[in-house]
Amino acid sequence: MIAVELFKLVRRLRTWVSVALICGLPLLVAVFIAVTHLAPPPGQGSAFLSAVLDDGQLYPAAALALVLPVFLPVSVAVVAGDSIAGEASSGTLRYLLARPVGRTRLLVAKLISVSTFVLLAVIAVTITSYATGVLILGPSRASAVGTGSGFSGSIAPGAGGAPTAGLSAGGSITSLSGAPLTFVELIERVLGAMAFITVSMLGVAAIAIFLSTIADSAMGAALGALAVLIASEVLVTLNAASAVQPYLPTRYWLAWIDFFRQPIFWPDIQRGFAIQAVYVVVFLGAAWANFATRDITS
Amino acid sequence: MITTHEVTKRFGHVAAVRAVSLDVREGDRYGLLGPNGSGKSTLVRMLLGLVYATSGSISVLGEPIPRHAGRVLPSIGALIEEPAAYPHLSGRANLRLLDAAGPASPRRTRRRRVDEALEQVGLAGIDRRPVRAYSLGMRQRLGLAAALVRRPRLLILDEPTNGLDPRGIRDIRDLLISLNESGTTIFLSSHLLTEVAALCTRVGVLDSGRLVLQDDLPSLQRPTGRVLISTLDPERAVATLDGQVEQRSGENLVVRAADPAALNARLVGAGVRVRSLVQQRRTLEDVVLEVTGAGSDQFGVADSPTADSPAPPHQDPQSPPRPDPPSPPRPDPPSRPRPDPPPSQPDPPPPHPDIS
């Protein structure tokens, strides 16, 4: 059943279109930056973007930061929201269950398929954006910042430990040029960020899968999950809601940026992993409880 | 093969199925009749473990459902309302995918089983076009093929001839009969009386969620004790059969007679030229209308071949016959040098003498 679900994922045009779109946005941004040499100033715009002109190898981090707020959650919500409700509305759910495929088994297969999609998207973004960064923005120029082009030098004055990595979420700024990462460290930290973002997206997927077992419409389930995320984003910025903020799904979404501090700043990363794990367990449990006992009338 | 005991299903306050006790025996071709909304589909879904009964017990192939549904479902082929398939894949890919999704389907025989199932339903030469491009009839055939891939012992089919043209309906009927003759028990639900009458050996009728009738088809279609006669000499026939004629409409008579052979001999002996003589049987439609009552108009009377049968057979024999329609008496056609047709066979209308 798992192989069948993966086959369905791979054979679906939508999978590849979403991955292509997710990879396309960072490419577009990179082209603009490379052509104009106008990176956002430190502390503004998406995380890491101000630094990428100095070091194209940082572009995967910048690309993840670009797709994280909208592109990734939307595509994950669409794929996960479609998991059960899509089969229900096309009528194939009843044939699968009468085949028979156990309901728990089907749900697990769907979860693995959705997780595969998330991993696929995150890995694809990382690899394409690394290629983009190196090929379009050029390899590390950290040591040659002062002698770079005029734009680059004036916008990212990297010499002497001045901040170059603009971190929109965190207050403190780690100077990557001040304490340069080795290539191995960079890879470790990118992998850490990918793992964190994948787990965050699994939280989204769990909510969408749960809604997918309730709704008969895949669109409804996807939009419902997005509504949860948007509500969470609103509350995260609202001081009055500070009491519930630690428990909101998007509260620690940007904590992976801490992987790029020197040394790694763990507390928010750990809290982020923990809160996503709770969301995954609670919503998948609810999805299972609902789906295993539901009358299939679609 | 299928036994249910007092199965009831409520959706909120609505009881979709009420205390139904089905009994489908091995080798049956069982037809579950009922108007749309009578609970057929809910009952079928309960048999397959998709919908859980509110009360009562279900046993299919000797195993309780839904508890051991996983054990028996591999030996069951099902068509549940409309067929469904992934629209972007070909029919063949869909069958292979569904086969691979569940247990009891050896991979090495998959290709052959899928090809055989497609051939059985008349889709052997299907190309690689996606199901999206299939016609309604092709989808229906594909759905049936999906039910046949694992050579099931029991077929549970909900409206199997939906969307098929007359030839398709005939093909599927022949297929189901031949499968049944090779040992497959067939349980199908339909709202088409003619389909069930043409195919099934045993009939159950659902009305508003209740099983109001369950019996073998031959015993339902027993003779009514009347004979339908079409004759060129209606006046003489009426005179010969004085008192036995219940109804007359032009050249057609309804005669009360227990033995059609004796009646025929009597008519021929009296020189009455009989064009056809048929023993009247209760039709499935009559039976169903009798037991379902008020909601029966939903059955679609136009679907029945006996819609214009001259008399309702469940009419009390003592009650007066219906009056003749007020038609002017037609003169007998001029006699021709032509032998009387064999009595029990319908005959095409005689050619007009002026033509030819």
Side-chain angles (χ1 to χ4, degrees):
Chain A
M1 189 57 214
I2 290 163
V4 168
E5 282 304 322
L6 292 180
F7 176 80
K8 288 197 305 214
L9 178 74
V10 171
R11 280 293 299 268
R12 205 126 176 210
L13 187 62
R14 186 188 66 194
T15 307
W16 302 108
V17 171
S18 355
V19 169
L21 282 176
I22 292 171
C23 296
L25 177 69
L27 181 67
L28 187 67
V29 171
V31 168
F32 272 109
I33 291 180
V35 168
T36 62
H37 283 274
L38 272 173
Q44 287 182 35
S46 188
F48 297 107
L49 264 192
S50 58
V52 296
L53 271 178
D54 301 324
D55 188 352
Q57 294 185 55
L58 262 184
Y59 199 62
L64 288 172
L66 280 172
V67 298
L68 180 64
V70 179
F71 270 49
L72 258 186
V74 166
S75 59
V76 169
V78 167
V79 171
D82 187 58
S83 57
I84 300 292
E87 301 267 6
S89 59
S90 75
T92 43
L93 178 63
R94 56 178 185 265
Y95 287 103
L96 279 177
L97 295 181
R99 167 61 189 86
V101 178
R103 298 191 185 195
T104 309
R105 200 181 165 80
L106 180 64
L107 208 55
V108 169
K110 288 291 183 190
L111 178 68
I112 289 174
S113 157
V114 171
S115 310
T116 307
F117 173 76
V118 172
L119 262 178
L120 182 74
V122 171
I123 291 172
V125 169
T126 312
I127 291 175
T128 57
S129 61
Y130 183 78
T132 308
V134 173
L135 295 177
I136 297 183
L137 298 166
S140 175
R141 269 179 274 164
S143 57
V145 161
T147 62
S149 71
F151 278 123
S152 167
S154 63
I155 287 166
T164 57
L167 299 182
S168 56
S172 69
I173 293 167
T174 306
S175 167
L176 292 175
S177 55
L181 298 168
T182 66
F183 185 67
V184 173
E185 274 179 321
L186 181 69
I187 286 188
E188 281 171 5
R189 286 157 194 237
V190 168
L191 285 177
M194 287 166 69
F196 188 88
I197 289 171
T198 302
V199 171
S200 300
M201 287 305 114
L202 287 184
V204 179
I207 297 173
I209 288 178
F210 168 64
L211 293 175
S212 188
T213 63
I214 293 179
D216 275 336
S217 140
M219 186 68 80
L223 289 179
L226 289 177
V228 170
L229 296 183
I230 291 168
S232 167
E233 287 281 72
V234 168
L235 292 180
V236 160
T237 58
L238 186 71
N239 285 335
S242 58
V244 297
Q245 278 172 2
Y247 312 107
L248 293 173
T250 62
R251 167 65 184 83
Y252 295 106
W253 263 19
L254 292 175
W256 59 273
I257 289 169
D258 292 345
F259 275 112
F260 294 90
R261 297 177 203 279
Q262 191 69 299
I264 296 172
F265 184 66
W266 284 104
D268 277 7
I269 294 175
Q270 286 161 351
R271 275 187 219 117
F273 270 120
I275 198 91
Q276 295 304 339
V278 169
Y279 272 95
V280 168
V281 168
V282 167
F283 277 95
L284 286 184
W288 174 78
N290 179 46
F291 186 54
T293 57
R294 200 183 95 177
D295 286 333
I296 307 298
T297 54
S298 60
Chain B
M1 299 290 271
I2 302 176
T3 320
T4 70
H5 179 69
E6 301 278 311
V7 161
T8 297
K9 176 64 190 179
R10 286 177 205 286
F11 293 109
H13 293 293
V14 184
V17 172
R18 303 185 220 189
V20 167
S21 297
L22 275 182
D23 175 28
V24 181
R25 298 167 306 206
E26 181 146 19
D28 274 354
R29 295 198 296 267
Y30 190 105
L32 184 66
L33 271 169
N36 294 322
S38 59
K40 297 189 303 289
S41 291
T42 303
L43 188 55
V44 164
R45 281 166 187 266
M46 283 196 284
L47 297 179
L48 296 167
L50 296 175
V51 167
Y52 300 129
T54 310
S55 65
S57 64
I58 301 172
S59 151
V60 176
L61 299 177
E63 298 276 2
I65 300 288
R67 187 190 302 179
H68 290 157
R71 277 191 214 163
V72 292
L73 284 178
S75 336
I76 298 176
L79 187 63
I80 313 155
E81 292 174 71
E82 318 92 65
Y86 300 106
H88 56 291
L89 299 175
S90 73
R92 213 173 238 110
N94 263 289
L95 294 192
R96 287 192 194 140
L97 206 58
L98 187 64
D99 194 57
S105 65
R107 180 196 292 254
R108 60 194 163 74
T109 61
R110 183 168 300 145
R111 181 178 295 266
R112 183 157 47 84
R113 286 182 290 121
V114 164
D115 287 349
E116 278 177 14
L118 283 172
E119 194 183 336
Q120 281 180 305
V121 299
L123 289 180
I126 195 71
D127 48 23
R128 300 182 61 182
R129 82 180 97 161
V131 172
R132 195 189 297 123
Y134 279 24
S135 69
L136 191 59
M138 286 164 74
R139 281 168 207 241
Q140 192 72 25
R141 286 169 189 261
L142 183 66
L144 270 168
L148 297 175
V149 168
R150 283 160 301 284
R151 297 169 189 142
R153 290 170 59 198
L154 171 63
L155 278 173
I156 296 183
L157 308 172
D158 203 359
E159 309 277 358
T161 53
N162 239 352
L164 293 174
D165 54 21
R167 168 161 293 276
I169 291 176
R170 178 66 167 277
D171 289 350
I172 296 308
R173 189 194 303 151
D174 292 347
L175 169 65
L176 292 181
I177 289 176
S178 81
L179 284 170
N180 178 249
E181 281 165 356
S182 60
T184 312
T185 304
I186 290 169
F187 175 88
L188 66 89
S189 83
S190 180
H191 64 280
L192 299 178
L193 287 155
T194 49
E195 258 318 293
V196 170
L199 176 61
C200 294
T201 56
R202 197 164 148 81
V203 176
V205 179
L206 269 187
D207 184 41
S208 316
R210 290 184 192 286
L211 189 68
V212 290
L213 178 82
Q214 178 170 252
D215 206 346
D216 291 335
L217 191 63
S219 73
L220 289 175
Q221 293 181 326
R222 61 180 177 272
T224 59
R226 289 174 186 76
V227 176
L228 309 179
I229 297 169
S230 171
T231 171
L232 299 175
D233 310 316
E235 306 294 344
R236 203 185 298 171
V238 170
T240 310
L241 305 171
D242 185 35
Q244 276 175 268
V245 176
E246 287 194 342
Q247 193 184 340
R248 180 182 162 192
S249 165
E251 300 181 346
N252 299 315
L253 305 175
V254 178
V255 179
R256 187 150 29 83
D259 185 354
L263 178 70
N264 191 29
R266 201 166 140 209
L267 287 171
V268 171
V272 177
R273 291 172 298 167
V274 176
R275 187 184 289 132
S276 78
L277 183 148
V278 178
Q279 184 177 35
Q280 190 185 43
R281 289 177 171 274
R282 276 154 61 94
T283 64
L284 190 56
E285 182 191 19
D286 298 322
V287 174
V288 167
L289 292 182
E290 197 175 298
V291 294
T292 53
S296 58
D297 57 350
Q298 292 171 40
F299 271 95
V301 169
D303 288 322
S304 168
T306 56
D308 54 354
S309 69
H314 54 270
Q315 187 185 341
D316 189 345
Q318 266 73 48
S319 69
R322 272 198 253 160
D324 282 338
S327 60
R330 279 187 286 168
D332 288 350
S335 57
R336 280 155 287 126
R338 186 161 178 255
D340 273 351
S344 62
Q345 278 185 6
D347 195 41
H352 199 278
D354 294 340
I355 308 175
S356 83

